[in-house]
Structure formats: structure tokens, C-alpha cells
Amino acid sequence: MNTTKYRRLYRLCSQNFGCRMKGTSSRKWLQRQQSDIYVKMARAENWRCRSAFKLLEIDDKYRILRPGQLVIDIGAAPGSWTQVVCQRTNAAGLDNNSPKGKVISIDLLPISKILGACILDCTDFTSQDCQDKIIQNSDGRKADVILSDMAPNASGMKEFDGRLLVSLVSKVLHFSVNQLVTNGTVLVKLWQGSGCDELSDVMKELFSSVKLVKPKASRDDSREIYFLCQKFKGVVHSSGNS
Ligand SMILES: C[S@@+](CC[C@H](N)C(=O)[O-])C[C@H]1O[C@@H](n2cnc3c(N)ncnc32)[C@H](O)[C@@H]1O
């Protein structure tokens, strides 16, 4: 047997480049998680993930959530935004002195139970079936606030991933046109890049106020940005009435 040849083959197989790469990047991810102040705070305050602080900061500044509202949270897993929204809209009815809100949370992934939330998990928001279910669960009301923190699985090709997210958000805007109250609010996540400007022009046509927001909890090295669209102009019918 030619042992040199087999030794080389064994060495090549055991290098397992894919795994090494994965190991290094997951180690980096772990190190970053361990030193991240928002991860620590999320654990201490019982939020399901650090993203909670993005919504808390935006809401503390712009006051978009109130008791009694109907809020639709799209791309909600693992559920930290839903936790924040349930608290601030009184969706569980824990505060007897405030109106009870309603929260509908949607994701492709499973979401474990959150007190006060109506969870539509393992479903694709872009499907008609999912959108029909949201409407069925809205008790004949239109939403006061629609949130989208959706993010497609990153392929690593920035331009492609960015376009995919633009397409998801355009579907959120399309849904909002029919399912949002006049003067309602939409908050959506996008990744900076091509397609954003075009979409923000559409937002400006639909809403009286559109702000670009980058909360402190959003990592500096992330291309993620949020568009806060307030004062929905409403659906204009052909007669001119809204
Ligand atoms: C950044 S996470 C959301 C985190 C969430 N806001 C929280 O605070 O827990 C993005 C989510 O978007 C979901 N998502 C992506 N595409 C979706 C789609 N077409 N329909 C529903 N959810 C989607 C992903 O499954 C993922 O859970």
C-alpha cells in the first residue's frame, strides 16, 4: 500500500474546510454574544432576544404602541417584539384600567406561546392563505400598527439578499394598504442597498411621515435600518373619498 498517498488523502479529508469555517464563525458569534450588553440585558429582563431593545427604543421615542391597539407582528420568531407589543398594548388584559389590545404574530418558524398573542407560526407571510388567516383573526378590525422585522436566510450575496428583503417588505406595504387604519403606522426592516430608495418613495406616497431609524441596539456593522411610516393616508377610492 502506498502509505504516503493515503496519509495525504486522510489529511485532506480531516481538514474538512466547511466545518473549520463554520467553527470559526460560530466561535466569533459566541464571543460577540457573550460580550454584548443587549444580550445580557435581554437575559436579565426576560426578553426572548436582544431585538426587543430595538423596538423598545423606537417606541420610547416615537410612541407608536398604545393599549387597545391591534398590532400585526410579521417575522416574529423567537418573539421578543411580540413580548414588547403584548405588554404595551395590554393584549393579555392584565391592566384592568386600560383597553385590551390584540396582537397577531406570524413567522415561518415555530414561536412558543406568549401571553396575549395570537400566534400564526410555521407559515409564510407572503402566501394568500397566511394573509387570509390574519384577516380572519382580526375580528373585523383593521390594524393600528403593522411591524415587519422579517429577514430572509442570508445567502451571503448582499445584493441578492437585499433585493429579497425589498420584495418581502413590498408585500408588507401591499398588505397594509388594505389592512391598516387611516393614520396607522408601519415599521419595517430593510438592509441598506439597492431597492431601498425606490421603496422609500412608495412609502412617502402612502404615508404623511416616513423616517429612517437606526436604533442603538442595531449593531453598527449591520446594514439593517428601519423605516418608520406614520400617518397612513388611507385608501383613496375612485370617487375621491378615503
Ligand atoms: C430577525 S428575526 C425576527 C426577530 C423578532 N422580531 C424578535 O424580536 O424575536 C426574522 C424572522 O423573519 C422570519 N421570516 C423571514 N421570511 C418570512 C416569511 N416569508 N414569512 C414569515 N416570517 C418570515 C424568519 O423566520 C425570522 O424568524
Side-chain angles (χ1 to χ4, degrees), residues 1 12 24 49 54 81 115 121 127 137 198 202 222 225 227 230:
M1 196 204 305
L12 277 174
T24 312
C49 65
K54 300 175 195 171
W81 278 29
L115 193 65
D121 59 359
S127 71
N137 280 283
E198 212 177 310
V202 174
S222 154
I225 45 172
F227 280 92
Q230 290 172 294

Side-chain angles (χ1 to χ4, degrees), residues 49 51 75-81 107-109 123-125 149-151 189:
C49 65
S51 299
S80 76
W81 278 29
D107 206 286
L108 286 171
L109 300 177
T123 182
D124 181 349
F125 168 73
D149 196 23
M150 269 192 292
K189 171 165 75 188

Side-chain angles (χ1 to χ4, degrees), residues 54-73:
K54 300 175 195 171
L55 183 59
L56 286 165
E57 184 185 326
I58 293 172
D59 190 46
D60 286 344
K61 185 158 180 195
Y62 298 103
R63 303 270 165 218
I64 59 177
L65 300 170
R66 279 189 302 280
Q69 286 175 329
L70 168 61
V71 179
I72 300 174
D73 181 11

Side-chain angles (χ1 to χ4, degrees), residues 152-170 189-196 199 223:
N153 277 337
S155 71
M157 292 181 283
K158 283 185 185 170
E159 181 67 20
F160 176 79
D161 292 337
R163 286 271 166 194
L164 208 55
L165 188 52
V166 165
S167 152
L168 285 175
V169 170
S170 64
K189 171 165 75 188
L190 279 166
W191 289 322
Q192 266 164 328
S194 52
C196 281
L199 209 54
R223 291 182 303 128

